[in-house]
mmCIF file of all heavy atoms in Angstrom:
data_model
loop_
_atom_site.group_PDB
_atom_site.id
_atom_site.type_symbol
_atom_site.label_atom_id
_atom_site.label_comp_id
_atom_site.label_asym_id
_atom_site.label_seq_id
_atom_site.Cartn_x
_atom_site.Cartn_y
_atom_site.Cartn_z
ATOM 1 N N GLU A 24 -0.239 42.651 3.512
ATOM 2 C CA GLU A 24 -1.366 41.883 3.010
ATOM 3 C C GLU A 24 -1.048 41.229 1.666
ATOM 4 O O GLU A 24 -0.280 41.765 0.861
ATOM 5 C CB GLU A 24 -2.600 42.782 2.841
ATOM 6 C CG GLU A 24 -3.117 43.365 4.152
ATOM 7 C CD GLU A 24 -4.354 44.216 3.940
ATOM 8 O OE1 GLU A 24 -4.752 44.379 2.770
ATOM 9 O OE2 GLU A 24 -4.909 44.708 4.929
ATOM 10 N N VAL A 25 -1.652 40.071 1.449
ATOM 11 C CA VAL A 25 -1.603 39.397 0.150
ATOM 12 C C VAL A 25 -2.900 39.723 -0.579
ATOM 13 O O VAL A 25 -3.987 39.548 -0.020
ATOM 14 C CB VAL A 25 -1.461 37.868 0.318
ATOM 15 C CG1 VAL A 25 -1.471 37.189 -1.042
ATOM 16 C CG2 VAL A 25 -0.203 37.525 1.087
ATOM 17 N N PRO A 26 -2.825 40.230 -1.805
ATOM 18 C CA PRO A 26 -4.071 40.562 -2.526
ATOM 19 C C PRO A 26 -4.974 39.341 -2.660
ATOM 20 O O PRO A 26 -4.504 38.214 -2.839
ATOM 21 C CB PRO A 26 -3.568 41.019 -3.905
ATOM 22 C CG PRO A 26 -2.146 41.389 -3.703
ATOM 23 C CD PRO A 26 -1.629 40.494 -2.615
ATOM 24 N N GLU A 27 -6.281 39.576 -2.594
ATOM 25 C CA GLU A 27 -7.247 38.485 -2.718
ATOM 26 C C GLU A 27 -7.558 38.249 -4.192
ATOM 27 O O GLU A 27 -8.567 38.703 -4.724
ATOM 28 C CB GLU A 27 -8.517 38.805 -1.927
ATOM 29 C CG GLU A 27 -8.300 38.836 -0.419
ATOM 30 C CD GLU A 27 -9.600 38.973 0.341
ATOM 31 O OE1 GLU A 27 -10.659 39.087 -0.316
ATOM 32 O OE2 GLU A 27 -9.558 38.954 1.578
ATOM 33 N N LEU A 28 -6.647 37.541 -4.844
ATOM 34 C CA LEU A 28 -6.797 37.220 -6.254
ATOM 35 C C LEU A 28 -6.801 35.708 -6.424
ATOM 36 O O LEU A 28 -6.117 34.990 -5.680
ATOM 37 C CB LEU A 28 -5.648 37.833 -7.067
ATOM 38 C CG LEU A 28 -5.509 39.352 -6.991
ATOM 39 C CD1 LEU A 28 -4.212 39.790 -7.658
ATOM 40 C CD2 LEU A 28 -6.693 40.034 -7.645
ATOM 41 N N GLU A 29 -7.548 35.219 -7.390
ATOM 42 C CA GLU A 29 -7.649 33.781 -7.623
ATOM 43 C C GLU A 29 -6.506 33.305 -8.509
ATOM 44 O O GLU A 29 -6.700 32.887 -9.645
ATOM 45 C CB GLU A 29 -9.004 33.440 -8.242
ATOM 46 C CG GLU A 29 -10.179 33.694 -7.309
ATOM 47 C CD GLU A 29 -11.514 33.340 -7.927
ATOM 48 O OE1 GLU A 29 -11.543 33.135 -9.163
ATOM 49 O OE2 GLU A 29 -12.497 33.258 -7.197
ATOM 50 N N ILE A 30 -5.290 33.360 -7.976
ATOM 51 C CA ILE A 30 -4.093 32.924 -8.684
ATOM 52 C C ILE A 30 -3.240 32.127 -7.710
ATOM 53 O O ILE A 30 -3.279 32.370 -6.498
ATOM 54 C CB ILE A 30 -3.302 34.117 -9.272
ATOM 55 C CG1 ILE A 30 -3.099 35.192 -8.203
ATOM 56 C CG2 ILE A 30 -4.023 34.683 -10.481
ATOM 57 C CD1 ILE A 30 -2.331 36.400 -8.690
ATOM 58 N N PRO A 31 -2.460 31.152 -8.201
ATOM 59 C CA PRO A 31 -1.754 30.242 -7.291
ATOM 60 C C PRO A 31 -0.814 30.923 -6.305
ATOM 61 O O PRO A 31 -0.722 30.516 -5.146
ATOM 62 C CB PRO A 31 -0.983 29.313 -8.251
ATOM 63 C CG PRO A 31 -1.735 29.373 -9.535
ATOM 64 C CD PRO A 31 -2.287 30.756 -9.616
ATOM 65 N N ILE A 32 -0.101 31.965 -6.732
ATOM 66 C CA ILE A 32 0.923 32.525 -5.865
ATOM 67 C C ILE A 32 0.338 33.185 -4.621
ATOM 68 O O ILE A 32 0.980 33.218 -3.559
ATOM 69 C CB ILE A 32 1.823 33.517 -6.629
ATOM 70 C CG1 ILE A 32 3.030 33.909 -5.762
ATOM 71 C CG2 ILE A 32 1.040 34.713 -7.094
ATOM 72 C CD1 ILE A 32 4.045 34.759 -6.474
ATOM 73 N N THR A 33 -0.893 33.734 -4.711
ATOM 74 C CA THR A 33 -1.461 34.373 -3.530
ATOM 75 C C THR A 33 -1.728 33.344 -2.430
ATOM 76 O O THR A 33 -1.475 33.604 -1.249
ATOM 77 C CB THR A 33 -2.755 35.121 -3.881
ATOM 78 O OG1 THR A 33 -3.672 34.220 -4.513
ATOM 79 C CG2 THR A 33 -2.479 36.273 -4.818
ATOM 80 N N ASP A 34 -2.235 32.172 -2.805
ATOM 81 C CA ASP A 34 -2.452 31.115 -1.810
ATOM 82 C C ASP A 34 -1.129 30.643 -1.221
ATOM 83 O O ASP A 34 -1.021 30.373 -0.023
ATOM 84 C CB ASP A 34 -3.196 29.937 -2.439
ATOM 85 C CG ASP A 34 -4.628 30.285 -2.802
ATOM 86 O OD1 ASP A 34 -5.195 31.201 -2.182
ATOM 87 O OD2 ASP A 34 -5.176 29.646 -3.722
ATOM 88 N N THR A 35 -0.101 30.526 -2.065
ATOM 89 C CA THR A 35 1.197 30.061 -1.596
ATOM 90 C C THR A 35 1.828 31.070 -0.642
ATOM 91 O O THR A 35 2.347 30.706 0.424
ATOM 92 C CB THR A 35 2.138 29.801 -2.783
ATOM 93 O OG1 THR A 35 1.540 28.816 -3.640
ATOM 94 C CG2 THR A 35 3.487 29.294 -2.310
ATOM 95 N N LEU A 36 1.806 32.343 -1.006
ATOM 96 C CA LEU A 36 2.367 33.372 -0.125
ATOM 97 C C LEU A 36 1.602 33.440 1.194
ATOM 98 O O LEU A 36 2.199 33.613 2.259
ATOM 99 C CB LEU A 36 2.345 34.724 -0.820
ATOM 100 C CG LEU A 36 3.327 34.913 -1.970
ATOM 101 C CD1 LEU A 36 3.103 36.267 -2.643
ATOM 102 C CD2 LEU A 36 4.767 34.786 -1.493
ATOM 103 N N ALA A 37 0.278 33.301 1.130
ATOM 104 C CA ALA A 37 -0.511 33.317 2.360
ATOM 105 C C ALA A 37 -0.153 32.146 3.259
ATOM 106 O O ALA A 37 -0.109 32.273 4.487
ATOM 107 C CB ALA A 37 -1.999 33.298 2.018
ATOM 108 N N ALA A 38 0.120 30.969 2.648
ATOM 109 C CA ALA A 38 0.497 29.797 3.433
ATOM 110 C C ALA A 38 1.863 29.971 4.089
ATOM 111 O O ALA A 38 2.114 29.457 5.182
ATOM 112 C CB ALA A 38 0.493 28.558 2.549
ATOM 113 N N MET A 39 2.765 30.693 3.434
ATOM 114 C CA MET A 39 4.105 30.906 3.976
ATOM 115 C C MET A 39 4.163 32.082 4.946
ATOM 116 O O MET A 39 5.100 32.188 5.740
ATOM 117 C CB MET A 39 5.092 31.159 2.833
ATOM 118 C CG MET A 39 5.383 29.952 1.960
ATOM 119 S SD MET A 39 6.600 30.374 0.691
ATOM 120 C CE MET A 39 7.077 28.723 0.126
ATOM 121 N N GLN A 40 3.193 32.975 4.873
ATOM 122 C CA GLN A 40 3.228 34.237 5.601
ATOM 123 C C GLN A 40 3.392 34.027 7.104
ATOM 124 O O GLN A 40 2.651 33.292 7.742
ATOM 125 C CB GLN A 40 1.939 35.026 5.335
ATOM 126 C CG GLN A 40 1.905 36.402 5.933
ATOM 127 C CD GLN A 40 0.652 37.174 5.505
ATOM 128 O OE1 GLN A 40 -0.249 36.609 4.894
ATOM 129 N NE2 GLN A 40 0.597 38.454 5.816
ATOM 130 N N GLY A 41 4.399 34.668 7.673
ATOM 131 C CA GLY A 41 4.599 34.634 9.118
ATOM 132 C C GLY A 41 5.397 33.462 9.626
ATOM 133 O O GLY A 41 5.741 33.419 10.808
ATOM 134 N N GLY A 42 5.732 32.503 8.777
ATOM 135 C CA GLY A 42 6.507 31.344 9.212
ATOM 136 C C GLY A 42 7.963 31.443 8.784
ATOM 137 O O GLY A 42 8.392 32.411 8.160
ATOM 138 N N THR A 43 8.725 30.425 9.138
ATOM 139 C CA THR A 43 10.137 30.363 8.756
ATOM 140 C C THR A 43 10.248 29.839 7.331
ATOM 141 O O THR A 43 9.780 28.745 7.026
ATOM 142 C CB THR A 43 10.928 29.450 9.696
ATOM 143 O OG1 THR A 43 10.855 29.971 11.027
ATOM 144 C CG2 THR A 43 12.389 29.369 9.276
ATOM 145 N N VAL A 44 10.872 30.623 6.465
ATOM 146 C CA VAL A 44 11.063 30.230 5.071
ATOM 147 C C VAL A 44 12.553 30.041 4.818
ATOM 148 O O VAL A 44 13.355 30.933 5.076
ATOM 149 C CB VAL A 44 10.493 31.277 4.096
ATOM 150 C CG1 VAL A 44 10.779 30.879 2.650
ATOM 151 C CG2 VAL A 44 8.989 31.440 4.309
ATOM 152 N N VAL A 45 12.914 28.876 4.330
ATOM 153 C CA VAL A 45 14.306 28.552 4.016
ATOM 154 C C VAL A 45 14.542 28.834 2.539
ATOM 155 O O VAL A 45 13.785 28.360 1.684
ATOM 156 C CB VAL A 45 14.621 27.083 4.339
ATOM 157 C CG1 VAL A 45 16.055 26.744 3.953
ATOM 158 C CG2 VAL A 45 14.381 26.802 5.821
ATOM 159 N N GLN A 46 15.568 29.598 2.242
ATOM 160 C CA GLN A 46 15.920 29.908 0.853
ATOM 161 C C GLN A 46 17.021 28.961 0.387
ATOM 162 O O GLN A 46 18.038 28.798 1.055
ATOM 163 C CB GLN A 46 16.413 31.351 0.746
ATOM 164 C CG GLN A 46 15.331 32.376 1.016
ATOM 165 C CD GLN A 46 14.766 32.965 -0.261
ATOM 166 O OE1 GLN A 46 14.828 32.357 -1.329
ATOM 167 N NE2 GLN A 46 14.217 34.150 -0.166
ATOM 168 N N GLU A 47 16.795 28.337 -0.747
ATOM 169 C CA GLU A 47 17.776 27.436 -1.349
ATOM 170 C C GLU A 47 18.039 27.885 -2.784
ATOM 171 O O GLU A 47 17.173 28.484 -3.428
ATOM 172 C CB GLU A 47 17.260 25.988 -1.365
ATOM 173 C CG GLU A 47 16.957 25.400 0.005
ATOM 174 C CD GLU A 47 18.194 24.872 0.704
ATOM 175 O OE1 GLU A 47 19.306 25.000 0.127
ATOM 176 O OE2 GLU A 47 18.051 24.319 1.808
ATOM 177 N N ARG A 48 19.216 27.570 -3.288
ATOM 178 C CA ARG A 48 19.530 27.812 -4.690
ATOM 179 C C ARG A 48 19.709 26.461 -5.377
ATOM 180 O O ARG A 48 20.324 25.551 -4.808
ATOM 181 C CB ARG A 48 20.804 28.651 -4.822
ATOM 182 C CG ARG A 48 20.736 29.958 -4.050
ATOM 183 C CD ARG A 48 21.962 30.806 -4.257
ATOM 184 N NE ARG A 48 21.997 31.919 -3.306
ATOM 185 C CZ ARG A 48 22.734 33.001 -3.455
ATOM 186 N NH1 ARG A 48 23.527 33.129 -4.506
ATOM 187 N NH2 ARG A 48 22.706 33.968 -2.557
ATOM 188 N N LEU A 49 19.171 26.355 -6.576
ATOM 189 C CA LEU A 49 19.317 25.097 -7.308
ATOM 190 C C LEU A 49 20.807 24.816 -7.493
ATOM 191 O O LEU A 49 21.536 25.649 -8.049
ATOM 192 C CB LEU A 49 18.629 25.195 -8.665
ATOM 193 C CG LEU A 49 18.434 23.858 -9.393
ATOM 194 C CD1 LEU A 49 17.402 23.012 -8.672
ATOM 195 C CD2 LEU A 49 17.991 24.103 -10.837
ATOM 196 N N PRO A 50 21.309 23.671 -7.006
ATOM 197 C CA PRO A 50 22.756 23.414 -7.051
ATOM 198 C C PRO A 50 23.286 23.355 -8.485
ATOM 199 O O PRO A 50 22.647 22.807 -9.381
ATOM 200 C CB PRO A 50 22.894 22.040 -6.364
ATOM 201 C CG PRO A 50 21.638 21.882 -5.556
ATOM 202 C CD PRO A 50 20.576 22.582 -6.348
ATOM 203 N N PHE A 51 24.479 23.936 -8.678
ATOM 204 C CA PHE A 51 25.081 23.929 -10.011
ATOM 205 C C PHE A 51 26.605 23.934 -9.894
ATOM 206 O O PHE A 51 27.176 24.238 -8.851
ATOM 207 C CB PHE A 51 24.616 25.140 -10.835
ATOM 208 C CG PHE A 51 25.008 26.470 -10.257
ATOM 209 C CD1 PHE A 51 26.206 27.074 -10.589
ATOM 210 C CD2 PHE A 51 24.153 27.122 -9.379
ATOM 211 C CE1 PHE A 51 26.567 28.300 -10.054
ATOM 212 C CE2 PHE A 51 24.502 28.356 -8.832
ATOM 213 C CZ PHE A 51 25.712 28.944 -9.170
ATOM 214 N N HIS A 52 27.252 23.564 -11.007
ATOM 215 C CA HIS A 52 28.707 23.636 -11.132
ATOM 216 C C HIS A 52 29.051 24.762 -12.098
ATOM 217 O O HIS A 52 28.276 25.078 -12.997
ATOM 218 C CB HIS A 52 29.295 22.336 -11.723
ATOM 219 C CG HIS A 52 28.963 21.106 -10.941
ATOM 220 N ND1 HIS A 52 29.392 20.901 -9.659
ATOM 221 C CD2 HIS A 52 28.247 19.991 -11.281
ATOM 222 C CE1 HIS A 52 28.969 19.716 -9.234
ATOM 223 N NE2 HIS A 52 28.266 19.151 -10.203
ATOM 224 N N VAL A 53 30.220 25.330 -11.927
ATOM 225 C CA VAL A 53 30.767 26.247 -12.925
ATOM 226 C C VAL A 53 31.747 25.452 -13.769
ATOM 227 O O VAL A 53 32.735 24.912 -13.250
ATOM 228 C CB VAL A 53 31.468 27.444 -12.271
ATOM 229 C CG1 VAL A 53 32.074 28.350 -13.340
ATOM 230 C CG2 VAL A 53 30.492 28.229 -11.402
ATOM 231 N N ARG A 54 31.453 25.335 -15.069
ATOM 232 C CA ARG A 54 32.273 24.479 -15.937
ATOM 233 C C ARG A 54 32.842 25.328 -17.081
ATOM 234 O O ARG A 54 32.118 26.060 -17.759
ATOM 235 C CB ARG A 54 31.435 23.343 -16.503
ATOM 236 C CG ARG A 54 32.216 22.353 -17.358
ATOM 237 C CD ARG A 54 31.319 21.214 -17.816
ATOM 238 N NE ARG A 54 30.764 20.488 -16.682
ATOM 239 C CZ ARG A 54 29.859 19.510 -16.811
ATOM 240 N NH1 ARG A 54 29.411 19.184 -18.012
ATOM 241 N NH2 ARG A 54 29.402 18.890 -15.742
#
């Protein structure tokens, strides 16, 4: 369960819940 709190992340997690989530990393170089 996602807690019923009035904060942005709860709505976002609820929207993603149960679907396919793609994980990406912000591209970077090692210099």
Side-chain angles (χ1 to χ4, degrees):
E24 296 181 357
V25 178
E27 293 188 358
L28 301 171
E29 294 181 347
I30 49 180
I32 189 174
T33 55
D34 292 335
T35 301
L36 289 175
M39 290 182 165
Q40 185 174 9
T43 299
V44 177
V45 178
Q46 293 259 24
E47 300 278 2
R48 305 183 191 198
L49 193 69
F51 62 90
H52 303 296
V53 178
R54 183 177 300 174

